[in-house]
Amino acid sequence: MATATDGIRVVSLAGEIDHDSGDTLRRALDACDTPRPRIVVDLRQVTFMDSSGINIFIAAHRTVSEAGGWLRLAAPGEAVMRTLSLVGVDAVIDCRETLRQALSN
């Protein structure tokens, strides 16, 4: 589900991010028609993420950055944060502890 808050697209995810849900996530993060896109992905309700999700987030981060915008990940649970940290995504993509922090400058 995607909503907008002060011009920032908020994509709220739930359940598992894997090969089966990858296309849906890719479409939700597509910002090719938006100048200087700003996207926050709310991960509070995500219980599992595999390499499919990591690859999608890295590709989206690259695309959004090239368009002059940014991508932030908000409120990842312990298991998801461990996955993000193991592969170093948290060093590339801004990860915030809460949705409120991700929405602030």
Side-chain angles (χ1 to χ4, degrees), residues 2 5-6 11 20 23 29 34 37 43 45 50 55 82 103-104:
T5 302
D6 295 329
V11 178
D20 294 333
D23 286 338
L29 296 177
T34 307
L43 297 170
Q45 297 180 53
D50 69 8
N55 291 331
R82 187 172 32 250
L103 290 169
S104 68

Side-chain angles (χ1 to χ4, degrees), residues 12-100:
S12 299
L13 305 175
E16 298 184 353
I17 300 174
D18 56 21
H19 179 73
D20 294 333
S21 61
D23 286 338
T24 303
L25 178 56
R26 232 179 250 100
R27 283 192 299 275
L29 296 177
D30 182 8
C32 63
D33 59 346
T34 307
R36 295 176 43 96
R38 297 177 298 160
I39 302 171
V40 170
V41 181
D42 182 354
L43 297 170
R44 276 182 297 197
Q45 297 180 53
V46 174
T47 56
F48 171 82
M49 181 173 63
D50 69 8
S51 61
S52 302
I54 289 173
N55 291 331
I56 292 167
F57 286 140
I58 290 172
H61 169 71
R62 184 178 303 123
T63 301
V64 168
S65 295
E66 288 171 358
W70 49 255
L71 172 71
R72 292 180 184 157
L73 304 179
E78 190 176 323
V80 173
M81 191 63 211
R82 187 172 32 250
T83 301
L84 294 170
S85 296
L86 280 172
V87 295
V89 171
D90 60 330
V92 176
I93 301 174
D94 191 359
C95 295
R96 306 283 178 101
E97 287 184 28
T98 67
L99 180 58
R100 173 176 276 154

